Amino acid sequence: MDSAPQTQQPPVEFETDPTRYRHWQVSYDGPIARVRMCVDPAGGLRPGYELKLNSYDLGVDIELADVVRRLRFEHPEVRVALLSSGTDNVFCAGANIHMLGMSTHAWKVNFCKFTNETRCEFEDATAFSSQIWICAANGTCAGGGYELALACKEIYLQDDGNSAVSLPEVPLLGVLPGTGGLTRLVDKRKVRRDRADVFSTTAEGIRGKRAKDWNLVDGVFARSKFDAEVLKRAQSVANQKVELLAGERRGVELGPLRPELSAHGRRYRHVDLSWDAATRTAQVVVRGPGAADVAVVQAGAAAIHAAGDQLWALRAFRELDDALLQVRFNHLDIGLVVLRTAGDPAHVLAHDAALWATREHWFTNEVLRHMARTLRRLDLTSRSFYALGDLSSRPSGPDSQGDRRPAFAGCLLELALAADRFYLLDNAAVQVGTSVLNEGVLPMSHGPSRLAARLYGEPDKLEALAGKHELMSPEEADEAGLVTVRLDDIDWDDDTRMAIEERSSMSPDALTGMEANLRFVGAENDTSKIFARLTAWQNWIFIRPNATGPEGALSLYGKPQRPHFDWNRV
Amino acid sequence: MDSAPQTQQPPVEFETDPTRYRHWQVSYDGPIARVRMCVDPAGGLRPGYELKLNSYDLGVDIELADVVRRLRFEHPEVRVALLSSGTDNVFCAGANIHMLGMSTHAWKVNFCKFTNETRCEFEDATAFSSQIWICAANGTCAGGGYELALACKEIYLQDDGNSAVSLPEVPLLGVLPGTGGLTRLVDKRKVRRDRADVFSTTAEGIRGKRAKDWNLVDGVFARSKFDAEVLKRAQSVANQKVELLAGERRGVELGPLRPELSAHGRRYRHVDLSWDAATRTAQVVVRGPGAADVAVVQAGAAAIHAAGDQLWALRAFRELDDALLQVRFNHLDIGLVVLRTAGDPAHVLAHDAALWATREHWFTNEVLRHMARTLRRLDLTSRSFYALGDLSSRPSGPDSQGDRRPAFAGCLLELALAADRFYLLDNAAVQVGTSVLNEGVLPMSHGPSRLAARLYGEPDKLEALAGKHELMSPEEADEAGLVTVRLDDIDWDDDTRMAIEERSSMSPDALTGMEANLRFVGAENDTSKIFARLTAWQNWIFIRPNATGPEGALSLYGKPQRPHFDWNRV
């Protein structure tokens, strides 16, 4: 079932740039960026469907993710991103149903997860970059289209007797508005839950005054005045007095990563991704900052800004992000990813301290937020992760110091804390350490730091580590609660090999479910409800015959037959 | 698929009593009750499997639910429930795998939900009845057996070089420890999440000192001293000074409900359940307290205690609980339940106020906690609920006052607040009102009152209702935010009929997922993580071929073949 069309297609690439956009137009007018959705019907990522009515597929969302990201880095002068459609009377029809209908289960799930991450980045930019996303729904706003709107801070709807917001997934497709829709409806916008029930089962949606009364939108304006009213609102938001971060608002261009591709891997400057189909494992090695990289951040905010996209912290985490997406979409059968780091852990601690010292500069802020998002992508990747801290990393690349040591310190220790297990070699050359970046700067999607999640039951140990930004021996790290398994040189090879083999033999589905439960300890929030409660239900529904069977509602959408349901409730 | 063996079996009945137990022995020694699991291998609820090694099926859990409940009502002198096994060296092997393997998806899901509710009642009794559940695992404690232990406040394990606690579901069965296991591990017992990963993938489990060090258990005792040490601990807990509620500690026996059965319904004293296969709908009518019932509660705690299991609030909610379970297990194709109430809403308000005034009496406390649990069962029932407040309820039964009015007030308003929608007839004879019981006494599983959940986005309206325990007109109730759709006499019949028909035409799976998302607005807690994140993932895994396909791990358990997995991660 999962060896479906798209896996015979060329691998998905996630890097793009404005010169290559097929589906989006972005224009700038001082503090307001206009982001227009103009989906090219013929521009589907895969053959076999047409992207009519501004419906989207992964390719459309890869570009949108690029739009959001570049707005933050390249256009720091922007205060408001005004999202609308380039097509009259249609804002967005949501995810393309024919694409969904012909996609494998894994593709649907991965697609939804990626689009969810993009929606979350709207909210991240709104919250932390003073770039407020406002949706100007200049036409019908259905399903995923309304979910896109829900990710914006404010939603305005054209009042023309026709344009409605709607979530028709349940009544028409037999699936959920699973890209955050149900959760954002009641938890973010706090629509009364009985009204949310009515709304989510009313295929034609709700428009005009009622949409406003139910808080489905923040305002409705007559068609003739829509553009002017929305622009007025955008200007008013853009002119709101906010305490902006320091630093010259000169954008930093995000250049291409240009990894070296081979049959078994992708080599970036600071990251190596390799995979082995035989063992169904992949390895990601992240090389820590060199002395020169540390010198740059220690030179202060201006030097960091000047380094731009060549800054280690930005480049290494962009590479890591790309590597994770490669694993997710192009290597479905890879069940386990070994995470390694290489370099001088003292450099990482020095790097983190210096970077943190400049956090009041807007660019440093963006770099830190980007690191946080990449790590959240890691938390949400449905593969087992084992972090291995030994002396076998093969450092290379132009910045390599030839250092074979693991560099699980500070921001790179996050990889070990995000991992399901952390194996550490008990060797005098191995050291581990925490920095301020482990203390809440790079939070998980449900709020806590990975260190707090790891030490949820041992607040004393968490307390003991606070502010103690020094390197520790493997034994000290173990006592501090950071290490899952500490092994001496004699046991290392056999024990880690067996652990990897054993993991690779277990049911991928059970592991995915287990990891999704164990990784997120403690309280949930809206975001984690989206990725957990909502997503898990959607995954279930996606493989139920009532949705995707030959007579399921999703399969038959647009066809003359009516779906045939098994009426039994589960 | 869901028209499987068990639906051809006689319907499941949930009422039982100690004289009929096949699987449990309960003995009393002052403040300590010993609850021994002694599963009769031949006593399976359905044919086709043997309940070896204290493994359980729904029948075993129906008895356990009865044990917990009767302990609270019938044995208020008990401070500690000491749970152990009647079989040497085996505490409990968990849910019976052969039973699971031959069950339909719906049966597995319903079975897990019911056992989850029973586990939660352990914690409810521990928290609110000063009846502390302690698990004395006098032998192997595997899978659901350890999940049973995890629901106890303390867990002690026999240290005999063999007895281990384990969650072998992932490595052996390709499913999750889904009856709260993963969540209670990291969220309740706060086992470090990387250790939880190791533990949950280690089929043989963990024993002795390591089990204690990892906080998987609270103590281990050598086999020779186990009984004595555990009893010592139980006595110490039983003797802890706690402020017990008032009232003579004379138990209240829970007599049988003895509903009248017919082909299309069950008629209890205060509750009617009826169903219609053609429209796939059921109706539950709850008749409110009569004047005599109000007089009893107004006479004070002693009179309430004397009324015992004939007290309206206890009997009506026991009947409702039973009716809900009937729908869940014996009427899978019923997708929508219409909730009606009948009686004098002023009586309900007077009843609630008087009952609340005696809340310091242990029996009233138990009655209130039981009402709360029944309503949580309703929240967690995967059927659409429409509350209908009109004048068509057909009151009957010995206590009927012949009152055709709806009685959606106080504790019965909870039915409307639990429902996905509340339709109310705009008629002068119809009134609605809140009592103190709507203000947090009967919380949802994730904490808030149903009123707070309903008015999550309108705190002013919630505030306005606080303490205002009066009846309102339909218009006032609508303005207060309590009503989904208010209809006049002319529109009522058509509009409600169409709403019911429309709902009944939608995909049952999508509705289940939608309702599970919309009902629980706001913050999650451990319990709701169990019923949402964990359960939804388990539901997904339960229908994946890697678990339940012909070559899935669950299907092949105990057979010589090894499972065959689709290695693609989703």
Side-chain angles (χ1 to χ4, degrees):
Chain A
M1 171 167 94
D2 283 344
S3 59
Q6 62 265 20
T7 57
Q8 296 153 18
Q9 300 283 339
V12 185
E13 287 294 340
F14 292 84
E15 278 199 87
T16 186
D17 66 70
T19 66
R20 292 191 277 166
Y21 292 172
R22 292 190 70 166
H23 308 296
W24 297 91
Q25 290 173 5
V26 189
S27 59
Y28 301 91
D29 181 12
I32 296 176
R34 300 215 55 151
V35 179
R36 285 190 187 84
M37 191 173 201
C38 314
V39 177
D40 174 0
L45 189 68
R46 294 289 186 246
Y49 51 86
E50 257 191 302
L51 297 174
K52 289 183 189 165
L53 297 173
N54 262 358
S55 63
Y56 59 83
D57 69 354
L58 180 66
V60 176
D61 216 73
I62 287 172
E63 291 185 6
L64 178 58
D66 192 70
V67 168
V68 196
R69 186 149 304 179
R70 286 185 196 275
L71 266 181
R72 301 177 77 167
F73 280 101
E74 301 187 352
H75 299 277
E77 76 285 0
V78 167
R79 295 275 69 73
V80 169
L82 189 56
L83 177 66
S84 64
S85 153
T87 307
D88 256 8
N89 300 321
V90 175
F91 171 68
C92 170
N96 186 276
I97 309 304
H98 302 288
M99 176 277 295
L100 283 177
M102 62 196 285
S103 295
T104 60
H105 181 54
W107 184 270
K108 280 196 283 288
V109 170
N110 267 315
F111 162 68
C112 288
K113 188 182 285 180
F114 183 82
T115 57
N116 257 323
E117 289 168 325
T118 308
R119 307 296 166 272
C120 287
E121 188 158 353
F122 280 30
E123 292 170 334
D124 198 66
T126 296
F128 301 117
S129 298
S130 301
Q131 283 190 343
I132 296 177
W133 280 74
I134 295 180
C135 177
N138 52 327
T140 294
C141 185
Y146 182 51
E147 292 182 294
L148 190 56
L150 283 167
C152 296
K153 193 172 180 210
E154 300 180 5
I155 308 172
Y156 298 95
L157 177 64
Q158 185 167 291
D159 192 5
D160 53 15
N162 189 45
S163 295
V165 295
S166 66
L167 291 176
E169 285 86 344
V170 171
L172 291 190
L173 305 172
V175 301
L176 300 184
T179 314
L182 294 178
T183 307
R184 287 204 174 85
L185 206 55
V186 292
D187 281 319
K188 179 186 182 182
R189 294 196 64 93
K190 299 185 169 60
V191 173
R192 231 173 61 200
R193 79 168 181 83
D194 54 331
R195 288 174 168 170
D197 180 281
V198 172
F199 174 62
S200 308
T201 50
T202 301
E204 66 273 23
I206 290 180
R207 55 192 162 78
K209 181 171 176 301
R210 195 183 215 192
K212 168 83 173 72
D213 288 348
W214 285 20
N215 202 35
L216 299 168
V217 303
D218 294 282
V220 288
F221 302 118
R223 186 181 151 82
S224 60
K225 297 190 293 183
F226 188 73
D227 285 346
E229 289 290 341
V230 160
L231 195 62
K232 197 157 67 176
R233 176 61 193 160
Q235 281 161 342
S236 154
V237 171
N239 292 331
Q240 273 166 10
K241 264 212 150 15
V242 288
E243 204 147 329
L244 289 178
L245 290 173
E248 187 199 346
R249 296 260 150 186
R250 179 172 43 78
V252 167
E253 198 183 331
L254 301 177
L257 299 176
R258 294 204 180 91
E260 272 175 49
L261 311 185
S262 71
H264 303 291
R266 290 167 81 93
R267 169 163 295 188
Y268 307 82
R269 187 184 300 164
H270 305 297
V271 173
D272 284 352
L273 165 66
S274 57
W275 53 84
D276 177 18
T279 58
R280 298 191 309 278
T281 58
Q283 177 168 271
V284 170
V285 182
V286 183
R287 286 176 287 280
D293 298 309
V294 175
V296 167
V297 286
Q298 287 181 334
I304 291 170
H305 192 188
D309 70 344
Q310 301 308 304
L311 187 77
W312 174 86
L314 179 53
R315 185 159 179 116
F317 278 76
R318 284 180 70 208
E319 293 172 354
L320 174 60
D321 197 43
D322 195 63
L324 289 170
L325 289 170
Q326 287 296 324
V327 172
R328 274 197 196 171
F329 279 86
N330 297 326
H331 302 279
L332 292 180
D333 61 340
I334 296 296
L336 174 71
V337 180
V338 170
L339 296 171
R340 284 195 152 96
T341 53
D344 183 342
H347 282 167
V348 191
L349 293 192
H351 167 275
D352 286 5
L355 186 66
W356 179 244
T358 68
R359 65 190 174 278
E360 295 298 329
H361 191 285
W362 74 265
F363 177 63
T364 299
N365 176 59
E366 289 306 333
V367 170
L368 289 167
R369 301 294 174 190
H370 176 266
M371 294 166 86
R373 287 194 301 280
T374 301
L375 291 164
R376 289 199 286 272
R377 180 105 74 197
L378 175 51
D379 297 328
L380 289 166
T381 296
S382 63
R383 311 302 165 94
S384 302
F385 288 98
Y386 283 3
L388 262 57
D390 61 354
L391 299 170
S392 69
S393 303
R394 263 167 281 147
S396 61
D399 292 349
S400 164
Q401 312 294 312
D403 202 323
R404 296 179 69 81
R405 285 180 293 169
F408 285 111
C411 64
L412 294 185
L413 179 65
E414 290 293 308
L415 302 182
L417 297 172
D420 300 299
R421 302 183 184 180
F422 182 24
Y423 287 86
L424 194 64
L425 181 68
D426 201 353
N427 179 295
V430 172
Q431 288 180 300
V432 162
T434 57
S435 81
V436 66
L437 297 197
N438 304 115
E439 296 172 356
V441 183
L442 309 170
M444 298 179 70
S445 49
H446 65 315
S449 69
R450 282 171 200 78
L451 196 60
R454 186 61 65 115
L455 298 175
Y456 185 58
E458 296 165 293
D460 293 354
K461 288 187 175 169
L462 185 63
E463 182 70 22
L465 283 171
K468 188 189 166 225
H469 303 150
E470 299 159 11
L471 291 174
M472 292 172 265
S473 70
E475 187 177 356
E476 288 166 334
D478 196 1
E479 277 162 16
L482 301 176
V483 183
T484 313
V485 183
R486 179 163 51 101
L487 294 169
D488 61 24
D489 296 270
I490 297 166
D491 291 331
W492 178 268
D493 282 350
D494 279 354
D495 284 18
T496 56
R497 183 181 48 75
M498 274 172 52
I500 290 169
E501 282 176 10
E502 203 170 72
R503 188 70 156 210
S504 300
S505 73
M506 292 181 197
S507 162
D509 302 330
L511 288 175
T512 291
M514 182 189 84
E515 291 152 6
N517 278 279
L518 295 181
R519 286 181 188 167
F520 300 89
V521 300
E524 301 265 7
N525 63 7
D526 293 8
T527 305
S528 68
K529 281 175 88 169
I530 291 171
F531 284 107
R533 185 184 276 262
L534 182 58
T535 297
W537 280 107
Q538 180 77 306
N539 288 0
W540 177 72
I541 290 163
F542 270 158
I543 48 169
R544 294 281 291 167
N546 284 337
T548 52
E551 298 183 295
L554 188 65
S555 308
L556 291 183
Y557 181 75
K559 297 186 181 146
Q561 302 106 289
R562 285 178 56 84
H564 176 80
F565 293 135
D566 172 350
W567 292 112
N568 287 336
R569 278 274 192 143
V570 172
Chain B
M1 171 168 98
D2 283 344
S3 59
Q6 61 264 21
T7 57
Q8 297 152 16
Q9 300 282 338
V12 184
E13 288 294 339
F14 290 85
E15 278 200 87
T16 186
D17 67 70
T19 65
R20 293 190 277 165
Y21 291 170
R22 290 191 71 166
H23 308 296
W24 296 91
Q25 291 172 6
V26 189
S27 59
Y28 302 91
D29 183 12
I32 295 175
R34 300 216 55 151
V35 179
R36 285 189 187 84
M37 191 174 200
C38 313
V39 177
D40 175 0
L45 188 67
R46 294 290 186 245
Y49 51 86
E50 256 191 301
L51 297 174
K52 288 183 189 165
L53 297 174
N54 262 359
S55 62
Y56 59 83
D57 69 354
L58 179 65
V60 176
D61 216 73
I62 287 173
E63 290 184 6
L64 178 58
D66 192 69
V67 168
V68 196
R69 186 148 302 179
R70 285 183 195 278
L71 267 181
R72 300 176 78 166
F73 281 101
E74 301 186 354
H75 299 278
E77 75 286 0
V78 166
R79 295 274 70 73
V80 169
L82 189 57
L83 177 66
S84 63
S85 154
T87 307
D88 256 7
N89 299 321
V90 176
F91 171 69
C92 170
N96 187 276
I97 309 303
H98 302 289
M99 176 277 296
L100 284 178
M102 62 197 286
S103 295
T104 58
H105 182 52
W107 184 270
K108 281 196 280 287
V109 171
N110 267 315
F111 162 69
C112 288
K113 188 182 285 180
F114 183 82
T115 57
N116 257 323
E117 288 169 324
T118 308
R119 307 296 167 270
C120 287
E121 187 158 353
F122 280 29
E123 292 170 335
D124 198 66
T126 296
F128 300 116
S129 298
S130 301
Q131 284 190 343
I132 296 176
W133 281 73
I134 295 180
C135 178
N138 52 327
T140 293
C141 187
Y146 182 51
E147 293 182 293
L148 190 57
L150 283 168
C152 296
K153 192 171 180 210
E154 300 181 4
I155 307 171
Y156 298 95
L157 177 65
Q158 185 167 292
D159 192 5
D160 54 14
N162 189 45
S163 295
V165 294
S166 65
L167 292 176
E169 285 87 344
V170 171
L172 290 190
L173 305 172
V175 300
L176 300 184
T179 315
L182 294 178
T183 307
R184 287 205 174 85
L185 206 56
V186 291
D187 281 319
K188 179 185 181 182
R189 294 196 63 94
K190 299 183 170 60
V191 173
R192 230 173 62 201
R193 79 168 181 84
D194 54 330
R195 288 174 168 169
D197 180 282
V198 172
F199 174 62
S200 307
T201 51
T202 302
E204 66 274 22
I206 290 180
R207 55 192 162 76
K209 182 172 176 302
R210 195 182 215 194
K212 169 84 172 71
D213 287 348
W214 284 21
N215 202 37
L216 299 168
V217 303
D218 294 283
V220 287
F221 302 117
R223 186 179 151 83
S224 59
K225 296 189 292 183
F226 188 73
D227 286 345
E229 289 291 340
V230 160
L231 195 61
K232 197 157 68 176
R233 176 63 193 158
Q235 280 160 344
S236 154
V237 171
N239 292 331
Q240 273 166 9
K241 262 212 152 17
V242 287
E243 203 145 329
L244 288 178
L245 290 172
E248 187 198 347
R249 295 262 151 188
R250 179 171 44 78
V252 167
E253 198 182 331
L254 300 177
L257 299 176
R258 294 204 181 91
E260 273 176 48
L261 309 186
S262 71
H264 303 292
R266 290 166 82 93
R267 169 163 293 189
Y268 307 83
R269 187 183 300 165
H270 304 298
V271 173
D272 284 352
L273 165 67
S274 58
W275 53 82
D276 175 19
T279 59
R280 299 191 310 277
T281 59
Q283 176 167 272
V284 171
V285 182
V286 183
R287 285 176 287 280
D293 298 310
V294 176
V296 167
V297 286
Q298 287 182 334
I304 291 170
H305 191 188
D309 70 343
Q310 300 309 303
L311 187 77
W312 175 85
L314 179 52
R315 185 159 180 118
F317 278 76
R318 284 180 70 208
E319 292 173 355
L320 175 60
D321 197 44
D322 195 62
L324 290 169
L325 290 170
Q326 287 297 323
V327 172
R328 274 198 196 171
F329 280 86
N330 298 325
H331 302 280
L332 291 180
D333 59 340
I334 297 295
L336 173 71
V337 181
V338 169
L339 296 171
R340 283 193 153 97
T341 54
D344 183 342
H347 282 166
V348 191
L349 293 192
H351 167 276
D352 286 6
L355 186 67
W356 178 244
T358 68
R359 66 190 174 277
E360 295 298 328
H361 192 286
W362 75 264
F363 177 63
T364 298
N365 176 59
E366 289 305 334
V367 170
L368 289 168
R369 302 293 175 191
H370 175 266
M371 294 167 87
R373 289 194 300 281
T374 301
L375 291 164
R376 289 199 285 272
R377 180 105 74 197
L378 175 51
D379 299 327
L380 289 166
T381 295
S382 63
R383 310 302 164 94
S384 301
F385 288 98
Y386 283 3
L388 262 56
D390 61 355
L391 298 170
S392 70
S393 302
R394 263 168 282 148
S396 61
D399 291 349
S400 164
Q401 313 293 310
D403 202 325
R404 295 179 70 81
R405 284 180 292 169
F408 285 112
C411 63
L412 294 186
L413 180 66
E414 291 292 308
L415 302 182
L417 296 171
D420 300 298
R421 302 183 184 181
F422 181 24
Y423 287 86
L424 193 64
L425 180 68
D426 201 353
N427 179 295
V430 172
Q431 289 179 298
V432 162
T434 57
S435 80
V436 66
L437 297 197
N438 304 117
E439 295 172 357
V441 183
L442 310 169
M444 297 180 71
S445 49
H446 65 315
S449 70
R450 280 170 202 81
L451 196 60
R454 185 61 64 115
L455 299 174
Y456 185 57
E458 297 164 292
D460 294 352
K461 289 187 175 169
L462 184 64
E463 181 70 22
L465 284 171
K468 187 188 167 226
H469 303 151
E470 299 158 12
L471 292 174
M472 291 173 264
S473 70
E475 188 179 355
E476 289 166 334
D478 196 0
E479 276 161 18
L482 301 176
V483 183
T484 313
V485 183
R486 179 163 52 100
L487 293 170
D488 60 25
D489 296 88
I490 297 167
D491 291 331
W492 178 268
D493 282 350
D494 279 355
D495 284 17
T496 56
R497 181 180 49 74
M498 274 172 53
I500 289 169
E501 282 176 12
E502 204 171 72
R503 188 70 155 210
S504 300
S505 73
M506 292 181 196
S507 163
D509 303 330
L511 289 175
T512 291
M514 182 189 83
E515 291 153 6
N517 278 278
L518 295 182
R519 287 180 188 166
F520 300 89
V521 300
E524 302 265 6
N525 63 6
D526 293 9
T527 304
S528 67
K529 281 174 89 169
I530 290 172
F531 284 107
R533 185 185 276 262
L534 182 57
T535 297
W537 280 108
Q538 180 77 306
N539 288 0
W540 177 71
I541 290 164
F542 269 159
I543 47 169
R544 294 281 291 166
N546 284 337
T548 52
E551 299 184 295
L554 189 65
S555 308
L556 291 182
Y557 181 75
K559 297 186 181 147
Q561 303 106 288
R562 284 178 57 84
H564 176 80
F565 293 135
D566 172 350
W567 292 112
N568 286 338
R569 278 275 193 143
V570 172

